Amino acid sequence: MTNLHLERMELREIELPLKSPFETSFGCTTRRRILIVRVFDKTGASGYGECVASEGPFYNHETVDTAWLITAKYVGPLLTKAQVETAGEVNAALAPIRGNQMAKGGVEAIWDLEAKIAARPLWQHLGGVRDEINCGVSIGLQETVETLIDKVAHELDSGYQRIKLKIKPGKDVQLVEVVRARFPDITLSVDANSAYSLNGDLSVVKQFDQYNLLMIEQPLAPGDLVDHAKLQREIKTPICLDESIVSLADARHANELGSCRIINIKLGRVGGHTEVRLIQAYAVKHGIPVWCGGMLETGIGRAHNIALSTLPGFTLPGDVSASARYWDEDIIEPPVTVSRQGTIKVPTTPGIGYEVNEARIEALTVRRETVRLGA
Ligand code: OSB
Ligand code: MG
């Protein structure tokens, strides 16, 4: 394969309203501010990535603004210094930057560029093994249980294979009770986004065991691997970790401690495709099922998620769903669609496999910066 000669990256912030507000235990999102990264090589070829940092530091410590700063001021110069020539070298080149995984994840645009130059679909370039992925949905907290039931029914009608409900203290067991009573046989899980504590909430969390849940996602704080291990010993429902796992080392610690039985992998949270693959390989080796999480991405981040969901070990339905659930009009063409069986057919054209609508991105851009790469 020919080596890359990186020339520059273009950062853009776009603003895009969500079709409907998305509420979690840590807050409500109505408009997304999104950092899109486009990397160019000296021939003019380019690849796209999406930084999945949120507007505020509430899911994790990063924000669109911190990721922008880290990307422009540190990621660019480190890539230049390392004279990165393959996508596989990016992770090591950026290792001096502590934390800030989402900022690092944005420049995984380089994988799209490399796959395009190699004229291969990104998923094959990454080592994917399936041409169709299984999809679930994440449903935010709703005003009333009736709206929640309607939403669940609607998503099931669309074919989605797994329903995940967002929960928070006071809006938890009774929601699951009602949804389970109405839909006795569906594959159901809950996501607490770290809203509970072992000491205060054990009796509440234990009650979920009655409802045959596929998993409870991230009940406790991100750093609480020890408490998650204690909690897992107290409950039958498998714990899935999201926020807690930002590296291969975290996955290994969680496994060795018994903090979870399932892992949610997000490209941005772990800092890029290389770390995704390290965690996925570790999980396969140790028999831990993984699935791909979502961060309310545009089509660019969604396309990367589709590609990584084809890797071995991604055996559970992910949170990767149709563009139309989020946006009136996506920034890729065609938009991501889901079959009646709740699957996404993986694209067969080079790179991320979707056309990026540059005119639409231009129209949505509120900030831009060009960062030189390469000497
Ligand atoms: O915890 O998985 C999460 C959205 C934003 C931040 C964190 C999470 C989520 C979701 C939505 O659950 C997943 C999606 O539909 O993109
Ligand atoms: Mg989660």
Side-chain angles (χ1 to χ4, degrees):
M1 201 176 61
T2 50
N3 284 348
L4 299 172
H5 299 283
L6 300 177
E7 200 254 338
R8 69 182 194 281
M9 62 179 163
E10 288 179 4
L11 314 185
R12 284 169 185 261
E13 178 182 334
I14 62 169
E15 263 189 32
L16 211 52
L18 282 169
K19 258 186 174 175
S20 50
F22 189 77
E23 190 176 343
T24 68
S25 64
F26 59 81
C28 188
T29 309
T30 50
R31 290 181 76 75
R32 292 289 341 271
R33 292 175 55 200
I34 300 154
L35 167 51
I36 300 292
V37 180
R38 188 176 187 187
V39 174
F40 291 82
D41 79 355
K42 293 206 161 81
T43 71
S46 69
Y48 276 100
E50 174 169 344
C51 170
V52 300
S54 308
E55 296 70 25
F58 308 119
Y59 164 78
N60 71 349
H61 64 280
E62 295 187 79
T63 72
V64 179
D65 298 303
T66 68
W68 188 291
L69 178 120
I70 295 291
T71 306
K73 199 164 170 182
Y74 301 101
V75 170
L78 280 173
L79 292 176
T80 304
K81 184 170 162 223
Q83 296 185 288
V84 161
E85 291 187 330
T86 64
E89 295 164 27
V90 172
N91 199 39
L94 302 184
I97 302 174
R98 300 218 192 264
N100 295 285
Q101 283 83 359
M102 289 174 170
K104 297 181 187 183
V107 298
E108 292 295 49
I110 295 172
W111 280 97
D112 177 35
L113 171 62
E114 188 175 82
K116 280 183 172 130
I117 291 172
R120 301 170 79 191
L122 176 60
W123 67 277
Q124 283 178 0
H125 193 53
L126 291 169
V129 293
R130 65 194 113 242
D131 57 12
E132 200 170 37
I133 65 165
N134 295 326
C135 308
V137 289
S138 172
I139 302 182
L141 289 157
Q142 305 295 316
E143 287 286 331
T144 67
V145 242
E146 290 72 36
T147 358
L148 179 61
I149 294 284
D150 288 350
K151 287 236 170 188
V152 173
H154 174 77
E155 304 296 6
L156 292 169
D157 276 350
S158 306
Y160 287 105
Q161 301 178 10
R162 180 273 279 142
I163 300 290
K164 156 174 143 184
L165 309 177
K166 290 291 190 180
I167 54 166
K168 69 174 184 184
K171 278 190 140 183
D172 41 38
V173 179
Q174 72 286 16
L175 293 186
V176 176
E177 166 83 43
V178 174
V179 172
R180 187 44 104 198
R182 174 74 178 70
F183 306 101
D185 301 321
I186 64 168
T187 306
L188 186 63
S189 67
V190 293
D191 185 357
N193 288 109
S194 300
Y196 297 87
S197 70
L198 183 62
N199 283 336
D201 302 308
L202 181 59
S203 62
V204 175
V205 178
K206 271 187 166 175
Q207 292 179 58
F208 290 122
D209 277 349
Q210 306 163 64
Y211 303 106
N212 184 30
L213 299 179
L214 179 64
M215 70 189 85
I216 173 167
E217 188 177 336
Q218 195 69 41
L220 310 178
D224 281 357
L225 288 183
V226 171
D227 281 358
H228 275 107
K230 287 185 183 164
L231 179 62
Q232 184 67 89
R233 286 196 286 275
E234 296 284 333
I235 62 176
K236 284 192 307 207
T237 309
I239 291 177
C240 169
L241 290 176
D242 173 350
E243 285 90 326
S244 287
I245 308 296
V246 306
S247 64
L248 170 62
D250 288 338
R252 185 172 60 75
H253 297 156
N255 184 45
E256 290 180 7
L257 285 167
S259 312
C260 67
R261 296 195 195 130
I262 300 172
I263 294 175
N264 159 331
I265 296 184
K266 290 179 180 169
L267 173 66
R269 199 195 63 231
V270 307
H273 284 299
T274 298
E275 203 72 17
V276 167
R277 295 196 301 182
L278 292 172
I279 296 171
Q280 159 263 321
Y282 176 86
V284 169
K285 188 164 167 212
H286 294 272
I288 307 164
V290 302
W291 53 280
C292 181
M295 290 294 294
L296 312 175
E297 289 93 346
T298 72
I300 293 174
R302 202 165 293 281
H304 279 273
N305 288 344
I306 292 168
L308 72 87
S309 301
T310 67
L311 290 167
F314 282 77
T315 51
L316 294 170
D319 275 349
V320 186
S321 57
S323 299
R325 294 189 61 249
Y326 306 83
W327 320 112
D328 284 324
E329 189 192 345
D330 206 333
I331 60 172
I332 56 162
E333 282 163 7
V336 174
T337 54
V338 168
S339 73
R340 300 292 312 156
Q341 290 71 43
T343 62
I344 293 173
K345 265 239 162 290
V346 179
T348 53
T349 50
I352 58 173
Y354 295 84
E355 288 296 322
V356 173
N357 185 338
E358 288 172 29
R360 178 149 169 80
I361 290 188
E362 180 63 32
L364 297 169
T365 296
V366 295
R367 173 163 55 148
R368 73 181 83 218
E369 184 173 344
T370 299
V371 179
R372 297 254 126 234
L373 301 174

